[in-house]
Amino acid sequence: MIQHDILIIGAGLAGLRAAFEGVTAGLNTAVVSKIHPLRSHSCAAQGGVNAAINPKDDWHHHAYDTVKGADFIGDQDSIDLMCAEAPQAVLDIDAMGCPFSREEDGTIAQRAFGGQNFPRTAYAADRTGHAMLHTLWEQAIKYGVKVYDEYFLMSLTTDQPKGQKMPRASGAVILNIRDGSLHQINAKAVCLATGGYGRLFANNTNAMTNTGDGVAHAMRAGAPAADLEFVQFHPTGLKSSGILISEGVRGEGAYLIDKTGHRFMQKYAPNKLELASRDVVSRAMTTEVLKGNGVDGAVFLDVRHLGRDLILERLPQIRQLAIDFEGVDPIDEPIPVRPTCHYTMGGIRTDKTGQSIGVQGMFAAGEAACVSVHGANRLGANSLLETIVFGKITGKAMVEYVKGPGHFRPHSSTASLAEVSQAITTLKARPSKGATKQAHIRDELTKAMQEYCSVFRTAKTLAAAKKAVEKAKADYAKLAVDDKSDAFNTDVITALELGNLILLAEATVLTAIERTESRGAHAREDYPTRNDKKWMTHITAVATPKGEIKLGRDAVRQTGNPQYAPAERKY
Ligand SMILES: Cc1cc2nc3c(=O)[nH]c(=O)nc-3n(C[C@H](O)[C@H](O)[C@H](O)COP(=O)(O)OP(=O)(O)OC[C@H]3O[C@@H](n4cnc5c(N)ncnc54)[C@H](O)[C@@H]3O)c2cc1C
């Protein structure tokens, strides 16, 4: 049996930042990743990371922008903590060697991002996540974090301490993708840092690997998830592929125009224009397209007026993406764009130190967590920030938990390993002839989610989404794989990911049906206004042993700050 003090599933920014705390506190710390850590989706982040580091800025303003961006349903204790800790978190990673872009005087350069009253987004050209992830990876190597790379999370194990109500995290079963062998790891504290699940929607900006495995497994292990109904559609995905064109482009001054060249945001957000919050801009674009003012389902992002030199210096990657994937050079032509699924606000529900509210010793950080700093709508560049602030805080909380008094080494049963092994044997044994192909199930599910559960929703469209999820569930129960081998069996891996996506699809649709109001990214055309009397609460979701979704409620953590009282959101 393998034993670690701290086991972190996920080696993106959140996982590696938490691991740094564990290993530098002298604890035996391990990280599991289904791909090489440097291929984690964090590496794709372009635009930047928010922090009130400029002396003219104030973290209280950052916190207010975040509370408002979240449409007042974010947890105010977490938001205050994140914004107050942001400058130090950015300076920490700067000191580790992260190559941030600089001003002439050597200070860290910052650009404007949507929904904020100050240009507080620090960046490394338009490859910020790449720069940050490489920096933290170097630290992981330097301090000797044990890395299980190309190992896949199969299940989370728990035990039941005597006299306690809550189950306790005891480790995980993982599969070595290279040879198909299974391993049980025991650990005193377990952290899920497995990222988001934007792959649930046909058109998205996410890596192939963003399938929400950690969130789904936590829900199965009894840890509630929350805010799953809130899914962010980024305004500017490339029309054909959904590949992201960073908000940093609008931060640099890009316009959104319709087919006649008109800057339509003047109508929807007269003050902030293109830099209103993402939910507002995505709805405006979708409305314009529905009115017939787009071309082929898209409107245009125009940077021509910024000039060749600025584009080449500050936006080299997005120029290349537009050329390679849309056949358009932004120096000469506007880029066709449309809203695309980008970020999942929902995740494993935690307190402000990252500990699950349902399983003792289970922690979550980054996009997989719902410490609820984003509420109903995330502000651009607050997610990289969340990974480094709450990666650090959660890492420290795990160290404290592991070193804390009265903590016993968890049991070492191998029951879970046997169950997982049986499940794989059963899957491989099913005859593939005549079975529905997993690619077909995934295709139908993600297209239905895109059509019925995206920027605008109604009871009717959500009922159609529910039907599609039920069909996917029924088909999945009979799923067979063609590849029966052990080494690098991607047929099995993608089938397991699909199982996790289906669970999250069901929970997303059920919570979207439940919330009969419009708030942030959740826009119900049949309930067009926000209803603070009834809905200032998080909806939670957990999976029963039979795989059904059970909904609950969890209070929004309010600090009593009168400035945070819900108000109408205008930009
Ligand atoms: C294209 C793009 C651009 C973005 N730009 C910005 C930006 O400019 N600013 C900003 O603030 N945010 C941005 N975001 C959002 C932000 O990048 C992510 O929310 C954040 O990086 C997530 O980090 P993470 O550490 O939580 O997870 P990830 O970086 O997604 O890492 C997840 C890790 O979990 C592992 N994992 C997952 N499932 C399993 C499993 N079953 N078994 C083992 N390991 C597993 C993966 O291997 C990976 O190591 C962007 C997102 C995208 C998609």
Side-chain angles (χ1 to χ4, degrees):
M1 185 87 50
I2 311 167
Q3 181 85 43
H4 295 288
D5 293 325
I6 292 179
L7 176 65
I8 298 165
I9 316 289
L13 282 170
L16 292 181
R17 188 63 188 81
F20 178 85
E21 293 302 322
V23 75
T24 53
L27 296 182
N28 176 346
T29 304
V31 172
V32 177
S33 177
K34 63 181 172 181
I35 44 178
H36 187 277
L38 289 177
R39 303 192 63 204
S40 302
H41 188 59
S42 290
C43 203
Q46 302 171 350
V49 52
N50 293 328
I53 43 180
N54 187 316
K56 292 194 198 114
D57 197 5
D58 180 337
W59 75 258
H60 294 93
H61 297 160
H62 182 191
Y64 183 73
D65 288 344
T66 304
V67 169
K68 177 179 167 189
D71 219 347
F72 299 92
I73 206 181
D75 288 317
Q76 296 168 5
D77 59 349
S78 310
I79 293 173
D80 280 351
L81 187 60
M82 178 175 81
C83 299
E85 293 295 320
Q88 190 54 51
V90 168
L91 295 178
D92 284 350
I93 191 163
D94 183 49
M96 289 174 193
C98 182
F100 284 114
S101 296
R102 300 277 164 179
E103 299 293 354
E104 288 291 315
D105 65 0
T107 52
I108 294 175
Q110 291 182 286
R111 55 165 60 121
F113 248 61
Q116 304 190 57
N117 74 348
F118 196 89
R120 66 170 67 92
T121 306
Y123 57 92
D126 53 2
R127 310 180 191 96
T128 313
H130 184 272
M132 290 170 70
L133 192 65
H134 278 252
T135 304
L136 282 178
W137 175 238
E138 287 163 8
Q139 299 296 311
I141 294 171
K142 176 175 171 187
Y143 288 102
V145 173
K146 164 77 187 164
V147 181
Y148 295 90
D149 93 74
E150 298 195 324
Y151 281 77
F152 190 85
L153 171 68
M154 298 298 294
S155 113
L156 293 167
T157 61
T158 56
D159 60 6
Q160 189 64 56
K162 271 208 183 94
Q164 277 188 32
K165 267 197 187 152
M166 260 195 205
R168 178 175 61 179
S170 64
V173 178
I174 58 175
L175 174 129
N176 182 344
I177 297 175
R178 263 164 279 186
D179 61 13
S181 59
L182 290 169
H183 305 267
Q184 180 143 19
I185 300 189
N186 272 12
K188 298 178 188 173
V190 176
C191 177
L192 282 316
T194 44
Y197 45 93
R199 280 274 145 188
L200 195 47
F201 293 81
N203 193 274
N204 67 75
T205 65
N206 279 203
M208 294 297 287
T209 46
N210 285 10
T211 49
D213 307 341
V215 183
H217 279 301
M219 287 167 71
R220 293 184 186 110
D227 290 356
L228 299 167
E229 67 275 33
F230 300 121
V231 178
Q232 177 161 85
F233 285 77
H234 193 293
T236 55
L238 287 179
K239 183 194 78 182
S240 319
S241 58
I243 289 173
L244 182 71
I245 297 299
S246 168
E247 187 167 300
V249 181
R250 280 172 286 140
E252 296 293 349
Y255 301 151
L256 277 168
I257 55 175
D258 65 12
K259 66 178 180 190
T260 66
H262 174 60
R263 274 180 86 185
F264 56 83
M265 283 310 295
Q266 286 157 353
K267 225 176 345 184
Y268 298 91
N271 297 319
K272 289 268 174 205
L273 298 162
E274 284 84 0
L275 285 175
S277 71
R278 289 178 178 173
D279 56 333
V280 173
V281 182
S282 285
R283 279 194 291 276
M285 290 167 66
T286 307
T287 305
E288 289 301 312
V289 168
L290 290 174
K291 279 203 285 194
N293 296 334
V295 176
D296 196 13
V299 292
F300 299 92
L301 185 69
D302 193 357
V303 293
R304 287 172 297 180
H305 57 286
L306 299 180
R308 183 185 180 86
D309 290 349
L310 186 141
I311 295 171
L312 292 181
E313 186 201 325
R314 301 218 197 134
L315 307 168
Q317 181 183 224
I318 72 100
R319 172 175 180 245
Q320 202 57 49
L321 289 172
I323 293 172
D324 291 346
F325 293 96
E326 208 59 57
V328 164
D329 186 341
I331 291 175
D332 306 316
E333 274 178 277
I335 316 167
V337 288
R338 62 171 173 165
T340 172
C341 175
H342 183 55
Y343 186 86
T344 44
M345 269 73 79
I348 301 157
R349 181 73 179 139
T350 70
D351 65 15
K352 69 172 181 180
T353 69
Q355 175 144 213
S356 158
I357 60 165
V359 178
Q360 188 198 325
M362 184 182 285
F363 295 77
E367 194 169 341
C370 177
V371 58
S372 201
V373 280
H374 312 304
N377 170 65
R378 170 173 78 85
L379 289 186
N382 261 357
S383 173
L384 289 185
L385 178 62
E386 179 189 15
T387 65
I388 53 171
V389 169
F390 287 99
K392 180 176 172 183
I393 289 171
T394 306
K396 285 188 191 297
M398 285 193 288
V399 169
E400 210 173 293
Y401 174 78
V402 168
K403 290 187 170 170
H407 184 77
F408 303 108
R409 212 156 254 261
H411 76 139
S412 55
S413 148
T414 52
S416 303
L417 194 131
E419 275 167 34
V420 167
S421 172
Q422 186 55 49
I424 293 186
T425 308
T426 310
L427 176 63
K428 284 186 181 169
R430 232 175 260 144
S432 44
K433 215 173 160 202
T436 312
K437 296 276 181 229
Q438 56 163 310
H440 180 71
I441 304 176
R442 192 192 264 242
D443 213 35
E444 282 198 329
L445 175 72
T446 55
K447 279 188 181 148
M449 291 299 287
Q450 183 79 34
E451 189 165 351
Y452 302 128
C453 192
S454 56
V455 176
F456 289 108
R457 302 158 170 189
T458 65
K460 204 168 151 206
T461 66
L462 291 171
K466 187 162 174 254
K467 215 168 142 196
V469 172
E470 280 157 9
K471 171 143 195 320
K473 241 177 135 176
D475 287 345
Y476 189 77
K478 295 175 282 180
L479 180 80
V481 290
D482 293 317
D483 185 353
K484 316 284 184 189
S485 68
D486 290 330
F488 283 106
N489 189 333
T490 50
D491 206 7
V492 166
I493 296 294
T494 50
L496 296 167
E497 290 174 335
L498 177 60
N500 295 330
L501 279 177
I502 293 173
L503 184 108
L504 290 165
E506 185 173 12
T508 301
V509 171
L510 292 181
T511 49
I513 291 173
E514 183 85 349
R515 185 173 289 278
T516 47
E517 66 160 354
S518 287
R519 184 185 296 271
H522 176 65
R524 291 274 307 245
E525 285 178 292
D526 45 355
Y527 295 93
T529 50
R530 199 176 75 197
N531 182 346
D532 291 329
K533 259 201 182 129
K534 184 165 178 208
W535 283 115
M536 277 294 281
T537 179
H538 299 287
I539 302 175
T540 59
V542 75
T544 67
K546 281 190 179 155
E548 279 153 10
I549 302 293
K550 212 174 107 197
L551 301 186
R553 298 276 191 276
D554 195 39
V556 173
R557 297 193 296 264
Q558 289 170 320
T559 53
N561 182 343
Q563 281 182 338
Y564 293 170
E568 194 191 340
R569 256 167 98 227
K570 285 191 193 145
Y571 286 101

